[in-house]
Amino acid sequence: MMNEILRVENLTKDYKSQSESLSVLKGVNLTVQRGERVCVIGESGNGKSTFLNILGGIDSASGGRVFACGKEITGMDEEGLTEYRARFVGLVFQFHYLLKDFTALENIFLPAYMAGVPKAKAMEKAKKLLADVGLSERATHLPSELSGGERQRVAVARALINEPELILADEPTGNLDPANSAMIGDLLFDIASRYGKSLLLVTHDMDLAKKGSSIYEMKDGVLVKR
């Protein structure tokens, strides 16, 4: 379908050991349209992060199919997944994963530069994104010199540097106090709207989920529309 950004068909994920098998995802189905902001809620440990990691090409599925940004990512080799992660999806996690020896600006700049964007253009894009998240004056600060909320704002900007079609956010406010949680939540939805991006956000925060255009709940390994 021309207007689909994401389609998940009967997705399963099993973890097996010598003594037992654990089914985390049990036939998940989901369709996200371009420009849609979808939120997935649910209790901890019920497969939300596993689901997002599969959509982001970080983890592999046991069964089912995932079509994202016009590509079937299930069955892709590592080279294809690396390109998919670099060019088509922007990932925001609960932990910021900023490089500790690089400044805020450099952390945003590096993914574009590593993807082959000329240095001057990558730096220009990084400066604009840093301004968009309200941190121009913190450009030369290292992550250790930033607050938790500021580090997560840098992470949001970094996720956008390669102009992804789809933003995947996994508990992006989970490590923040209430004030910073509200600020980062507002920022994600505002940035997605401003740049015309589709957003799939996993959260346990119902107030944050209500900002989305639709809400799903992960229950017993299956997605249920709220």
Side-chain angles (χ1 to χ4, degrees):
M1 300 286 289
M2 286 293 291
N3 212 33
E4 284 180 359
I5 191 71
L6 176 69
R7 186 166 84 254
V8 181
E9 298 177 350
N10 199 33
L11 190 69
T12 62
K13 180 64 177 181
D14 305 317
Y15 291 99
K16 296 182 180 180
S17 67
Q18 290 183 331
S19 58
E20 62 181 348
S21 177
L22 175 65
S23 293
V24 177
L25 302 178
K26 305 172 183 177
V28 172
N29 294 282
L30 176 68
T31 300
V32 178
Q33 303 298 324
R34 290 185 183 276
E36 199 173 0
R37 328 274 190 249
V38 175
C39 293
V40 177
I41 62 169
E43 296 179 3
S44 297
N46 66 4
K48 301 190 308 296
S49 292
T50 298
F51 177 53
L52 213 70
N53 284 340
I54 293 172
L55 301 186
I58 297 169
D59 199 355
S60 58
S62 300
R65 305 172 81 186
V66 176
F67 299 86
C69 307
K71 303 173 179 297
E72 182 177 1
I73 65 168
T74 36
M76 265 188 185
D77 61 19
E78 190 53 45
E79 183 179 353
L81 288 171
T82 298
E83 181 184 8
Y84 167 72
R85 288 191 298 265
R87 298 186 181 278
F88 296 98
V89 291
L91 300 167
V92 181
F93 300 99
Q94 183 171 347
F95 185 71
H96 55 80
Y97 293 112
L98 299 180
L99 300 172
K100 64 183 181 66
D101 296 325
F102 291 83
T103 66
L105 183 62
E106 289 166 342
N107 266 282
I108 301 168
F109 155 85
L110 276 171
Y113 185 58
M114 292 173 67
V117 178
K119 186 174 182 178
K121 184 177 180 182
M123 188 59 72
E124 180 184 338
K125 291 174 68 176
K127 287 178 179 177
K128 183 180 186 306
L129 284 166
L130 198 62
D132 282 350
V133 298
L135 289 177
S136 290
E137 76 286 358
R138 310 290 272 171
T140 60
H141 287 63
L142 297 173
S144 61
E145 300 169 317
L146 301 174
S147 70
E150 288 171 338
R151 288 193 288 265
Q152 200 65 320
R153 283 151 72 184
V154 173
V156 171
R158 180 186 57 188
L160 287 164
I161 189 69
N162 285 331
E163 302 178 31
E165 298 179 48
L166 174 65
I167 301 170
L168 301 175
D170 184 10
E171 295 282 9
T173 65
N175 281 335
L176 303 174
D177 60 69
N180 275 308
S181 292
M183 182 267 293
I184 290 295
D186 288 342
L187 176 66
L188 269 169
F189 283 96
D190 177 60
I191 285 282
S193 177
R194 195 185 319 168
Y195 282 91
K197 306 300 181 186
S198 308
L199 174 65
L200 179 60
L201 186 146
V202 162
T203 183
H204 64 273
D205 184 344
M206 194 61 193
D207 288 335
L208 178 57
K210 287 177 180 177
K211 298 178 187 293
S213 50
S214 54
I215 302 174
Y216 292 80
E217 184 175 6
M218 187 74 80
K219 296 181 69 173
D220 299 321
V222 178
L223 267 187
V224 180
K225 183 81 180 284
R226 289 284 294 238

